[in-house]
Amino acid sequence: MNRIFFDNAATTPLEPRVAEAMYNVMQHVHGNPSSIHSEGREARTLIEKARKTIAKLMGVAPGEIFFTSGGTEADNMALRCLVRDHKIIRIITSPIEHHAILHTAEGLQDEGIELKLLPIDADGHVDMAQLEELLQSAPESKTLVSLMHANNELGNLLDLDLTGALCKKYGAFFHSDTVQTVGHLPLDLKKSQLDFTAASAHKFNGPKGIGFIYISSATKIKPFISGGAQERNMRGGTENIYGIIGLAKALEIACEEMTAQAVHIQDLKSYMIAQLRESFPGVHFNGDAEGRSLYTVLNVCF
């Protein structure tokens, strides 16, 4: 019996070529990447090669990529470290962010940080005029703007370049949860003037439990997890080498096949919309399904 998996926004199946790359490392690479003997150096070399691969695909420097356990940790790291190390007094976000952002921001609000939630229009887009108004209203305030690139439930897309330009204009830090778009859309993190982004391998056919945070070299923070000198003193703990290899391989494949996949999946999405309209009069598509929306997500209301 054939089954169709409809939960790809939550997680994607592991790509066989990714599993093969990970298994090869599991079988043959046994050293701790922090060890100075040959086995350790071999493991370290593989990690740094993976880092360079990811950085090149994201348009950034290898020194700006740090491995994490996934998007949630990366989001927490960005918000909590910025507030702590740059004396942020105000966070601007939206009410439809992932809980990794909302719950973290609410926790920081309990600690005295001002929290502003931007209005959402009828199509589920963030009110950019309101964002500029808020940034303009208190330019002296140390502000962090955190807005996701693509909403994980609606699929709505944020204009990263516009948001980055606004934040730059008013001196605010800009973080974006790009978990839904890394591996699915071409990204140039430098061009978008981002300070932080988050990514998770299992959203683009990689392994679960591994991701990365991009931290612009212009934005300095102290470690989020202490305990060792790993990740250039930014995240203590022995690196998940198998996950890191899988992450890099999955992202490499996703970027190589992105154009063909995007056309194929968009065709499926358009076909599904047409068939649902024909079969269920009155069906409604939440968000901006046929406009500024990620091709991998469709939110349907019966």
PDB file of all heavy atoms in Angstrom, residues 168-189:
ATOM      1  N   LYS A 168      18.912  47.779   9.767  1.00  0.00           N
ATOM      2  CA  LYS A 168      20.189  48.479   9.600  1.00  0.00           C
ATOM      3  C   LYS A 168      19.981  49.986   9.704  1.00  0.00           C
ATOM      4  O   LYS A 168      20.761  50.702  10.353  1.00  0.00           O
ATOM      5  CB  LYS A 168      20.779  48.118   8.230  1.00  0.00           C
ATOM      6  CG  LYS A 168      22.168  48.679   7.970  1.00  0.00           C
ATOM      7  CD  LYS A 168      23.219  47.880   8.691  1.00  0.00           C
ATOM      8  CE  LYS A 168      24.616  48.284   8.246  1.00  0.00           C
ATOM      9  NZ  LYS A 168      25.665  47.558   8.978  1.00  0.00           N
ATOM     10  N   LYS A 169      18.935  50.491   9.077  1.00  0.00           N
ATOM     11  CA  LYS A 169      18.641  51.926   9.059  1.00  0.00           C
ATOM     12  C   LYS A 169      18.464  52.489  10.464  1.00  0.00           C
ATOM     13  O   LYS A 169      18.906  53.603  10.762  1.00  0.00           O
ATOM     14  CB  LYS A 169      17.380  52.171   8.224  1.00  0.00           C
ATOM     15  CG  LYS A 169      16.957  53.619   8.118  1.00  0.00           C
ATOM     16  CD  LYS A 169      15.716  53.755   7.253  1.00  0.00           C
ATOM     17  CE  LYS A 169      15.245  55.207   7.158  1.00  0.00           C
ATOM     18  NZ  LYS A 169      14.016  55.334   6.317  1.00  0.00           N
ATOM     19  N   TYR A 170      17.812  51.681  11.330  1.00  0.00           N
ATOM     20  CA  TYR A 170      17.507  52.174  12.676  1.00  0.00           C
ATOM     21  C   TYR A 170      18.389  51.546  13.765  1.00  0.00           C
ATOM     22  O   TYR A 170      18.110  51.687  14.948  1.00  0.00           O
ATOM     23  CB  TYR A 170      16.021  51.945  12.985  1.00  0.00           C
ATOM     24  CG  TYR A 170      15.118  52.753  12.077  1.00  0.00           C
ATOM     25  CD1 TYR A 170      14.443  52.153  11.018  1.00  0.00           C
ATOM     26  CD2 TYR A 170      14.973  54.121  12.254  1.00  0.00           C
ATOM     27  CE1 TYR A 170      13.633  52.893  10.165  1.00  0.00           C
ATOM     28  CE2 TYR A 170      14.163  54.877  11.405  1.00  0.00           C
ATOM     29  CZ  TYR A 170      13.494  54.253  10.369  1.00  0.00           C
ATOM     30  OH  TYR A 170      12.700  55.008   9.524  1.00  0.00           O
ATOM     31  N   GLY A 171      19.438  50.852  13.355  1.00  0.00           N
ATOM     32  CA  GLY A 171      20.405  50.345  14.322  1.00  0.00           C
ATOM     33  C   GLY A 171      19.936  49.185  15.164  1.00  0.00           C
ATOM     34  O   GLY A 171      20.443  48.974  16.282  1.00  0.00           O
ATOM     35  N   ALA A 172      18.984  48.400  14.654  1.00  0.00           N
ATOM     36  CA  ALA A 172      18.475  47.242  15.394  1.00  0.00           C
ATOM     37  C   ALA A 172      19.186  45.969  14.946  1.00  0.00           C
ATOM     38  O   ALA A 172      19.629  45.863  13.800  1.00  0.00           O
ATOM     39  CB  ALA A 172      16.969  47.092  15.178  1.00  0.00           C
ATOM     40  N   PHE A 173      19.279  45.005  15.839  1.00  0.00           N
ATOM     41  CA  PHE A 173      19.781  43.684  15.477  1.00  0.00           C
ATOM     42  C   PHE A 173      18.660  42.915  14.774  1.00  0.00           C
ATOM     43  O   PHE A 173      17.483  43.069  15.101  1.00  0.00           O
ATOM     44  CB  PHE A 173      20.217  42.908  16.724  1.00  0.00           C
ATOM     45  CG  PHE A 173      21.455  43.460  17.378  1.00  0.00           C
ATOM     46  CD1 PHE A 173      21.362  44.306  18.475  1.00  0.00           C
ATOM     47  CD2 PHE A 173      22.716  43.136  16.900  1.00  0.00           C
ATOM     48  CE1 PHE A 173      22.491  44.820  19.088  1.00  0.00           C
ATOM     49  CE2 PHE A 173      23.856  43.636  17.500  1.00  0.00           C
ATOM     50  CZ  PHE A 173      23.747  44.489  18.598  1.00  0.00           C
ATOM     51  N   PHE A 174      19.042  42.059  13.812  1.00  0.00           N
ATOM     52  CA  PHE A 174      18.049  41.294  13.044  1.00  0.00           C
ATOM     53  C   PHE A 174      18.358  39.801  13.095  1.00  0.00           C
ATOM     54  O   PHE A 174      19.421  39.369  12.662  1.00  0.00           O
ATOM     55  CB  PHE A 174      18.023  41.793  11.598  1.00  0.00           C
ATOM     56  CG  PHE A 174      17.038  41.076  10.698  1.00  0.00           C
ATOM     57  CD1 PHE A 174      15.860  40.525  11.194  1.00  0.00           C
ATOM     58  CD2 PHE A 174      17.293  40.958   9.334  1.00  0.00           C
ATOM     59  CE1 PHE A 174      14.965  39.876  10.360  1.00  0.00           C
ATOM     60  CE2 PHE A 174      16.404  40.310   8.492  1.00  0.00           C
ATOM     61  CZ  PHE A 174      15.237  39.760   9.010  1.00  0.00           C
ATOM     62  N   HIS A 175      17.422  39.052  13.645  1.00  0.00           N
ATOM     63  CA  HIS A 175      17.493  37.589  13.676  1.00  0.00           C
ATOM     64  C   HIS A 175      16.313  37.032  12.900  1.00  0.00           C
ATOM     65  O   HIS A 175      15.197  37.552  12.986  1.00  0.00           O
ATOM     66  CB  HIS A 175      17.434  37.081  15.120  1.00  0.00           C
ATOM     67  CG  HIS A 175      17.091  35.626  15.222  1.00  0.00           C
ATOM     68  ND1 HIS A 175      15.785  35.182  15.433  1.00  0.00           N
ATOM     69  CD2 HIS A 175      17.844  34.504  15.120  1.00  0.00           C
ATOM     70  CE1 HIS A 175      15.780  33.863  15.463  1.00  0.00           C
ATOM     71  NE2 HIS A 175      17.013  33.432  15.276  1.00  0.00           N
ATOM     72  N   SER A 176      16.558  35.982  12.129  1.00  0.00           N
ATOM     73  CA  SER A 176      15.465  35.313  11.426  1.00  0.00           C
ATOM     74  C   SER A 176      15.595  33.806  11.577  1.00  0.00           C
ATOM     75  O   SER A 176      16.670  33.238  11.382  1.00  0.00           O
ATOM     76  CB  SER A 176      15.467  35.678   9.937  1.00  0.00           C
ATOM     77  OG  SER A 176      14.353  35.092   9.278  1.00  0.00           O
ATOM     78  N   ASP A 177      14.491  33.186  11.949  1.00  0.00           N
ATOM     79  CA  ASP A 177      14.409  31.724  11.967  1.00  0.00           C
ATOM     80  C   ASP A 177      14.193  31.280  10.517  1.00  0.00           C
ATOM     81  O   ASP A 177      13.121  31.450   9.953  1.00  0.00           O
ATOM     82  CB  ASP A 177      13.229  31.302  12.850  1.00  0.00           C
ATOM     83  CG  ASP A 177      13.084  29.793  12.970  1.00  0.00           C
ATOM     84  OD1 ASP A 177      13.428  29.078  12.009  1.00  0.00           O
ATOM     85  OD2 ASP A 177      12.613  29.314  14.012  1.00  0.00           O
ATOM     86  N   THR A 178      15.249  30.730   9.923  1.00  0.00           N
ATOM     87  CA  THR A 178      15.190  30.306   8.517  1.00  0.00           C
ATOM     88  C   THR A 178      15.073  28.785   8.402  1.00  0.00           C
ATOM     89  O   THR A 178      15.428  28.204   7.376  1.00  0.00           O
ATOM     90  CB  THR A 178      16.445  30.795   7.747  1.00  0.00           C
ATOM     91  OG1 THR A 178      17.622  30.338   8.448  1.00  0.00           O
ATOM     92  CG2 THR A 178      16.485  32.303   7.652  1.00  0.00           C
ATOM     93  N   VAL A 179      14.551  28.164   9.449  1.00  0.00           N
ATOM     94  CA  VAL A 179      14.461  26.698   9.498  1.00  0.00           C
ATOM     95  C   VAL A 179      13.668  26.145   8.319  1.00  0.00           C
ATOM     96  O   VAL A 179      14.015  25.103   7.754  1.00  0.00           O
ATOM     97  CB  VAL A 179      13.867  26.246  10.846  1.00  0.00           C
ATOM     98  CG1 VAL A 179      13.419  24.784  10.788  1.00  0.00           C
ATOM     99  CG2 VAL A 179      14.889  26.434  11.967  1.00  0.00           C
ATOM    100  N   GLN A 180      12.595  26.813   7.915  1.00  0.00           N
ATOM    101  CA  GLN A 180      11.757  26.304   6.831  1.00  0.00           C
ATOM    102  C   GLN A 180      12.317  26.597   5.443  1.00  0.00           C
ATOM    103  O   GLN A 180      11.860  25.999   4.462  1.00  0.00           O
ATOM    104  CB  GLN A 180      10.340  26.881   6.940  1.00  0.00           C
ATOM    105  CG  GLN A 180       9.520  26.344   8.102  1.00  0.00           C
ATOM    106  CD  GLN A 180       9.193  24.864   7.985  1.00  0.00           C
ATOM    107  OE1 GLN A 180       9.143  24.308   6.884  1.00  0.00           O
ATOM    108  NE2 GLN A 180       8.972  24.210   9.113  1.00  0.00           N
ATOM    109  N   THR A 181      13.282  27.499   5.342  1.00  0.00           N
ATOM    110  CA  THR A 181      13.736  27.903   4.003  1.00  0.00           C
ATOM    111  C   THR A 181      15.148  27.457   3.649  1.00  0.00           C
ATOM    112  O   THR A 181      15.467  27.347   2.456  1.00  0.00           O
ATOM    113  CB  THR A 181      13.643  29.434   3.841  1.00  0.00           C
ATOM    114  OG1 THR A 181      14.319  30.069   4.938  1.00  0.00           O
ATOM    115  CG2 THR A 181      12.191  29.879   3.821  1.00  0.00           C
ATOM    116  N   VAL A 182      16.003  27.209   4.630  1.00  0.00           N
ATOM    117  CA  VAL A 182      17.338  26.694   4.314  1.00  0.00           C
ATOM    118  C   VAL A 182      17.187  25.350   3.592  1.00  0.00           C
ATOM    119  O   VAL A 182      16.480  24.462   4.055  1.00  0.00           O
ATOM    120  CB  VAL A 182      18.190  26.526   5.587  1.00  0.00           C
ATOM    121  CG1 VAL A 182      19.466  25.736   5.277  1.00  0.00           C
ATOM    122  CG2 VAL A 182      18.559  27.884   6.172  1.00  0.00           C
ATOM    123  N   GLY A 183      17.804  25.215   2.447  1.00  0.00           N
ATOM    124  CA  GLY A 183      17.688  23.997   1.651  1.00  0.00           C
ATOM    125  C   GLY A 183      16.507  23.998   0.694  1.00  0.00           C
ATOM    126  O   GLY A 183      16.382  23.102  -0.145  1.00  0.00           O
ATOM    127  N   HIS A 184      15.640  25.014   0.816  1.00  0.00           N
ATOM    128  CA  HIS A 184      14.465  25.095  -0.055  1.00  0.00           C
ATOM    129  C   HIS A 184      14.434  26.367  -0.896  1.00  0.00           C
ATOM    130  O   HIS A 184      13.805  26.401  -1.959  1.00  0.00           O
ATOM    131  CB  HIS A 184      13.184  24.998   0.773  1.00  0.00           C
ATOM    132  CG  HIS A 184      13.046  23.712   1.516  1.00  0.00           C
ATOM    133  ND1 HIS A 184      12.804  22.505   0.887  1.00  0.00           N
ATOM    134  CD2 HIS A 184      13.168  23.415   2.837  1.00  0.00           C
ATOM    135  CE1 HIS A 184      12.756  21.537   1.781  1.00  0.00           C
ATOM    136  NE2 HIS A 184      12.972  22.063   2.975  1.00  0.00           N
ATOM    137  N   LEU A 185      15.079  27.414  -0.422  1.00  0.00           N
ATOM    138  CA  LEU A 185      15.179  28.668  -1.168  1.00  0.00           C
ATOM    139  C   LEU A 185      16.645  29.118  -1.184  1.00  0.00           C
ATOM    140  O   LEU A 185      17.359  28.889  -0.210  1.00  0.00           O
ATOM    141  CB  LEU A 185      14.327  29.768  -0.514  1.00  0.00           C
ATOM    142  CG  LEU A 185      12.806  29.645  -0.595  1.00  0.00           C
ATOM    143  CD1 LEU A 185      12.160  30.820   0.140  1.00  0.00           C
ATOM    144  CD2 LEU A 185      12.302  29.576  -2.023  1.00  0.00           C
ATOM    145  N   PRO A 186      17.078  29.751  -2.267  1.00  0.00           N
ATOM    146  CA  PRO A 186      18.449  30.283  -2.271  1.00  0.00           C
ATOM    147  C   PRO A 186      18.560  31.429  -1.274  1.00  0.00           C
ATOM    148  O   PRO A 186      17.709  32.326  -1.248  1.00  0.00           O
ATOM    149  CB  PRO A 186      18.632  30.773  -3.717  1.00  0.00           C
ATOM    150  CG  PRO A 186      17.251  30.954  -4.250  1.00  0.00           C
ATOM    151  CD  PRO A 186      16.369  29.981  -3.540  1.00  0.00           C
ATOM    152  N   LEU A 187      19.575  31.392  -0.436  1.00  0.00           N
ATOM    153  CA  LEU A 187      19.753  32.408   0.593  1.00  0.00           C
ATOM    154  C   LEU A 187      21.141  33.029   0.489  1.00  0.00           C
ATOM    155  O   LEU A 187      22.129  32.326   0.284  1.00  0.00           O
ATOM    156  CB  LEU A 187      19.576  31.803   1.994  1.00  0.00           C
ATOM    157  CG  LEU A 187      18.174  31.307   2.355  1.00  0.00           C
ATOM    158  CD1 LEU A 187      18.202  30.589   3.697  1.00  0.00           C
ATOM    159  CD2 LEU A 187      17.188  32.460   2.410  1.00  0.00           C
ATOM    160  N   ASP A 188      21.199  34.329   0.644  1.00  0.00           N
ATOM    161  CA  ASP A 188      22.461  35.051   0.740  1.00  0.00           C
ATOM    162  C   ASP A 188      22.387  35.851   2.033  1.00  0.00           C
ATOM    163  O   ASP A 188      21.830  36.952   2.077  1.00  0.00           O
ATOM    164  CB  ASP A 188      22.648  35.973  -0.469  1.00  0.00           C
ATOM    165  CG  ASP A 188      24.027  36.632  -0.491  1.00  0.00           C
ATOM    166  OD1 ASP A 188      24.614  36.800   0.599  1.00  0.00           O
ATOM    167  OD2 ASP A 188      24.499  36.981  -1.581  1.00  0.00           O
ATOM    168  N   LEU A 189      22.907  35.277   3.115  1.00  0.00           N
ATOM    169  CA  LEU A 189      22.720  35.853   4.439  1.00  0.00           C
ATOM    170  C   LEU A 189      23.416  37.200   4.588  1.00  0.00           C
ATOM    171  O   LEU A 189      22.932  38.072   5.308  1.00  0.00           O
ATOM    172  CB  LEU A 189      23.223  34.871   5.502  1.00  0.00           C
ATOM    173  CG  LEU A 189      22.566  33.477   5.463  1.00  0.00           C
ATOM    174  CD1 LEU A 189      23.092  32.608   6.601  1.00  0.00           C
ATOM    175  CD2 LEU A 189      21.046  33.576   5.532  1.00  0.00           C
TER     176      LEU A 189
END
